[in-house]
Amino acid sequence: MADSGITRRRVQAAKLAEEDEEKKEYDAADDTGDGSGSDDRGDDKATRFTLMEQILLLGLKDREGYTSFWNDCISSGLRGCVMIELGLRNRIELEKTGMRKRALLSRKVLLKNDQPTGDVILDEALRHIKETQPGETVTNWVEYLSGETWNPLKLRYQLRNVRERLAKNLVEKGVLTTEKQNFLLFDMTTHPLHDGVLKTKLIKQVQEAVLQRWTNDVHRMDRRMLSLIVLAHASDVLENAFAPLNDQDYEVAMKRVRSILELDYEAESEKKGNGCTDVMWAVFEAFSK
């Protein structure tokens, strides 16, 4: 009986430690201006954005309320954000390398903690990962969640209507509004910008990350902001954040972004890696191919 009591206390202590680690991650993100939508610590938690919401917000046309019809990158980019979010929230990790070194994209994604995140899209993806045995690689999961797979047995993993669901989240947070627009042959629900202040803050934070707050050491950058920059580029929406810059700042910003994109993510993951942050590096590697 005493042994079982000790075991229960150890399990409970481990869970509390993980929850505290996740809370610290979010608090640190706010303090460092990671692009979560809040510059001040007193901001309402409801205005904290997930990486997916940030990418969508950068990609949405303010007045029209929809993303460019020509952007075919944002779908997979949003699924990459899902994987990174789950990694940063300590829900998933990459399998250990063992004695023999293995590439990031050959390591399987493992469930670390099945506790719900409170975000419907993230929890749906988490359930899929939990139910899948044996595990799959990051590249495979991005494809499955996007529905971009030739395997009909994997189509059930597709996250459907992601952009619309994210837009509704942003409507609930007061950033967007909902309208109906007529496009000759059909009506479409759009989500024009309602609160321009929060989007302006987000754009400013992205700009500052590669200008005033730039550091040559990628490991000193906030992981959420680093992820936002890489995935915004992969989703073809980063240009929207840099459009307001003057020519000189634009050139500096793009040069520094290129320096991030040209990194050896395998080598970077070995410097200060763990199973959860390795998910982030693996997603970067997947989108660099």
Side-chain angles (χ1 to χ4, degrees):
M1 293 294 291
D3 289 343
S4 63
I6 292 172
T7 302
R8 283 197 300 272
R9 286 196 294 272
R10 285 176 177 172
V11 171
Q12 186 177 11
K15 286 184 177 180
L16 289 173
E18 286 186 354
E19 290 173 4
D20 185 57
E21 184 177 350
E22 182 178 340
K23 181 178 183 298
K24 287 179 179 178
E25 171 72 32
Y26 265 80
D27 290 344
D30 285 343
D31 291 344
T32 54
D34 73 321
S36 62
S38 57
D39 281 337
D40 303 314
R41 297 187 66 179
D43 281 1
D44 193 317
K45 289 183 179 180
T47 61
R48 289 178 176 175
F49 302 139
T50 64
L51 286 171
M52 300 89 73
E53 290 167 348
Q54 290 173 328
I55 293 293
L56 183 68
L57 193 53
L58 289 176
L60 276 176
K61 299 180 179 181
D62 293 354
R63 293 182 180 178
E64 293 87 344
Y66 51 82
T67 56
S68 171
F69 292 126
W70 309 110
N71 188 338
D72 57 356
C73 304
I74 194 169
S75 178
S76 58
L78 289 172
R79 274 65 176 187
C81 290
V82 168
M83 297 302 293
I84 291 179
E85 275 282 358
L86 290 174
L88 293 181
R89 296 185 186 213
N90 294 300
R91 295 309 194 275
I92 60 174
E93 61 183 349
L94 292 191
E95 63 182 342
K96 302 295 186 290
T97 57
M99 295 294 291
R100 186 166 59 91
K101 181 181 176 182
R102 297 175 61 192
L104 285 169
L105 297 185
S106 68
R107 293 160 63 187
K108 307 293 186 184
V109 176
L110 304 178
L111 181 73
K112 183 177 182 181
N113 182 351
D114 63 357
Q115 181 182 357
T117 64
D119 182 280
V120 176
I121 294 175
L122 293 179
D123 290 341
E124 183 179 342
L126 190 63
R127 283 197 305 274
H128 290 324
I129 294 172
K130 179 181 179 181
E131 295 166 0
T132 303
Q133 293 296 333
E136 298 281 359
T137 63
V138 163
T139 303
N140 285 347
W141 273 119
V142 171
E143 292 176 353
Y144 296 161
L145 297 177
S146 303
E148 298 174 358
T149 174
W150 292 101
N151 187 340
L153 298 178
K154 304 296 184 181
L155 289 175
R156 63 190 180 91
Y157 294 140
Q158 182 181 3
L159 299 178
R160 301 183 183 278
N161 303 317
V162 169
R163 272 179 263 192
E164 180 63 24
R165 290 154 72 182
L166 291 172
K168 287 181 178 178
N169 289 348
L170 291 171
V171 169
E172 292 177 2
K173 294 179 178 181
V175 184
L176 304 179
T177 187
T178 302
E179 293 181 359
K180 288 278 188 182
Q181 288 195 27
N182 182 271
F183 288 86
L184 296 178
L185 299 178
F186 60 94
D187 290 334
M188 187 173 93
T189 301
T190 60
H191 300 282
L193 189 66
H194 174 68
D195 186 347
V197 173
L198 290 174
K199 182 170 182 177
T200 301
K201 278 186 178 181
L202 174 60
I203 290 174
K204 182 181 178 183
Q205 288 166 347
V206 174
Q207 293 172 354
E208 288 181 346
V210 291
L211 292 173
Q212 295 92 332
R213 298 186 179 183
W214 172 252
T215 170
N216 285 318
D217 182 1
V218 70
H219 293 280
R220 293 176 58 192
M221 289 185 68
D222 177 81
R223 284 176 290 182
R224 286 182 168 275
M225 178 53 68
L226 176 62
S227 300
L228 177 58
I229 291 171
V230 175
L231 269 299
H233 178 271
S235 303
D236 198 19
V237 299
L238 186 60
E239 185 74 22
N240 298 344
F242 292 160
L245 295 174
N246 60 50
D247 291 346
Q248 183 178 355
D249 285 345
Y250 177 84
E251 288 182 11
V252 172
M254 288 307 300
K255 180 180 179 181
R256 289 170 175 173
V257 169
R258 284 193 295 272
S259 72
I260 294 174
L261 299 175
E262 292 168 359
L263 288 171
D264 182 345
Y265 300 127
E266 293 277 359
E268 297 301 330
S269 70
E270 294 174 6
K271 292 179 182 178
K272 294 183 180 179
N274 61 55
C276 295
T277 55
D278 281 352
V279 172
M280 177 188 75
W281 296 115
V283 172
F284 293 175
E285 182 71 11
F287 280 95
S288 70
K289 299 301 183 183

